[in-house]
Amino acid sequence: MARSSLQANQRAIELAGHNLANVSNPAYSRQRLNLQTAHGIPAEHGMQGSGVEVVGIDQFRDILLDRQIANESSVLAYLEEKQKILQFAQSMIGQDLDRTASSPEGQAASKGVTGQLGLGDNLTEFFNALQSLSSNPSSQAHRQVVVFKAENLAEKFNRVEFRLGEMAHDLNSEVASMVDDVNNSITFLEQIGHLISSNKLLSNANDYQDKFHHRVEELSKFIDVQFEFKPTATVDPTSGKAMEKLNMTIGGVDVIEDGDIVSKLALVIKDAKGNRVTRKNNLLERGDKVYVETIKSSEHFQLSAGRIKGVIDARDESIQDFRDSMNLVSEKIKERINLEHIQGASLPVLKLSADYGGAGALAVEGMSADLKAGDQLLFGNGGVFTVSTDVGAGAASIDGVFVGGSPLAKGDRASLQSIDFFDAEAEGLVVNDRIVGNPALLLASKGGDAGNNEIAISLAQIVDEKQESLNGQTFNESLNSGVTSFGQELSSVETQALDQGTVLRMLEEHRTSYSGVSIDEEMANLLVFQRAFQANAKLINLLDDLFEVSINIIK
């Protein structure tokens, strides 16, 4: 009896020391020795007590609480990942975003006056330059300013699109890395699941379970995961216990069944058109997007939380929606400006060096611009000469076809008409190279008169037009609406992440109060177990003395 008590208290002291050693280990759940009264021994006057026996080691772990923490961790990881990506995107957009639509900062951002040069600022400056040009349409300086502001606007649009496109491309690598981490975790959990199953039959698997639950929580940050140890039909002959095997699902698909891996995650590559493709060595092309499925693809795989879903949602929804809205505004600016611009005429680019009767080549002098086949030269009498072959500045003659009323006289001047301000064939917003190289080709007048400003005025007034293709908004309103919506989404995600963090923190505090190690409690237990150990040691000494006395009496 004394011996069993001595051994039990020694084991309890060791277990308390084990608890104290893990006091700062967040993955550890405290343990207690489970003691019960040993079976009595029949004696003359009834059952004689035989002391205490150890029946196991209990672990203070609440499975329901662990599952809740894993689920909430998955949701928080989703929000934090999305928040991080949207914050990066905000930096790439190049201006503070409207976060609340009510704060001074939010109102300023929605109006494009944040103090940083955003898209709205560039657009306003471009139209202001057109307004200035309308007051002096023949001014080369004003034309140069218009071209400069247009290039700034185009560069801003294209730079934002390029940066966000590069970011979307880079996020593919992040998804691929996360898939590797998930698959490594699945392998680890399969192995430790087997250890838990076997050790539960032999003694206890408490320390293995700590490692298992910690890894599950880490895995839940990447993807939503559910698990359960289910009893099987196999019964251990020694303990009489049914063998428990790990079963785990990820995204609703079984990845571990009866303790063994049946599926893992796999990458799917889709090109810019959304078609599934295979890339050699998984080297992605610009425009490709990476998605995730399981090798066991016959089952429906659906992400609901975790960092992987956060990356994909931020890339394909938040960032892509913003890119689409900005690209739509850019395209409509190009279309509307070009539609108005081609109705005008440039400053005079040449004058006739001889009379022209309406047929053959034009004899010209002072030609200040390169001409291309198809260009139309507008003369003061309304006649139009269509150039048939390319010709460089300074040429003395031009081949083409003339359509007009009266013949042309020596000294008549011609302006260029019907050219786009923005390159209609280029991807994105690009100012026509010919206008960049020669601002005199900007079509600001009506009819070719250098002092006419009708087209310049019409171009400047576009800033106030309501565009049907943009839901009845002006270009600036549509730009600011897109920026504001993006900023509000970021604000919403930040708020949700803050709230979710509070929920998770409360759950973790609750678990710590239940499963965590208390130094004061363990020290108190050590004193109790130590005293009990000393008392039992004293009892053994006393029994030894009595036994010795008894032997001496017999002698």
Side-chain angles (χ1 to χ4, degrees), residues 114 405 417 474:
T114 60
Q417 67 173 13
T474 66

Side-chain angles (χ1 to χ4, degrees), residues 426-498:
E427 183 177 349
L429 200 61
V430 179
V431 182
N432 192 326
D433 287 339
R434 302 175 70 185
I435 296 178
V436 172
N438 187 353
L441 299 185
L442 197 161
L443 313 185
S445 68
K446 193 79 169 179
D449 182 359
N452 185 283
N453 64 355
E454 288 185 46
I455 298 302
I457 291 175
S458 297
L459 288 170
Q461 289 175 341
I462 291 175
V463 68
D464 296 320
E465 287 182 0
K466 302 290 185 181
Q467 306 297 323
E468 184 177 349
S469 57
L470 299 178
N471 299 319
Q473 296 177 314
T474 66
F475 290 126
N476 259 317
E477 288 172 344
S478 186
L479 274 178
N480 292 329
S481 176
V483 171
T484 300
S485 296
F486 190 91
Q488 288 176 328
E489 181 175 6
L490 174 55
S491 176
S492 176
V493 171
E494 289 174 338
T495 301
Q496 292 177 56
L498 184 62

Side-chain angles (χ1 to χ4, degrees), residues 373-393:
D375 280 349
Q376 295 180 348
L377 296 171
L378 176 65
F379 288 89
N381 67 349
V384 175
F385 185 88
T386 302
V387 180
S388 59
T389 58
D390 293 354
V391 60

Side-chain angles (χ1 to χ4, degrees), residues 10-74:
Q10 181 183 7
R11 185 71 186 90
I13 290 173
E14 292 171 352
L15 191 57
H18 184 54
N19 286 337
L20 287 171
N22 287 276
V23 67
S24 59
N25 181 1
Y28 182 77
S29 295
R30 63 192 172 100
Q31 302 176 28
R32 283 287 178 269
L33 203 63
N34 189 353
L35 304 173
Q36 71 176 20
T37 305
H39 294 296
I41 301 173
E44 179 181 357
H45 301 293
M47 297 295 292
Q48 178 179 327
S50 58
V52 68
E53 63 180 2
V54 177
V55 295
I57 299 176
D58 294 332
Q59 185 180 43
F60 286 77
R61 178 174 291 282
D62 189 324
I63 298 298
L64 176 60
L65 187 57
D66 286 334
R67 286 176 178 159
Q68 287 180 316
I69 290 176
N71 291 338
E72 299 301 333
S73 295
S74 190

Side-chain angles (χ1 to χ4, degrees), residues 149-160:
K149 296 300 182 181
E151 287 185 302
N152 283 347
L153 175 64
E155 193 278 336
K156 188 68 175 183
F157 269 109
N158 297 335
R159 177 58 59 181
V160 169

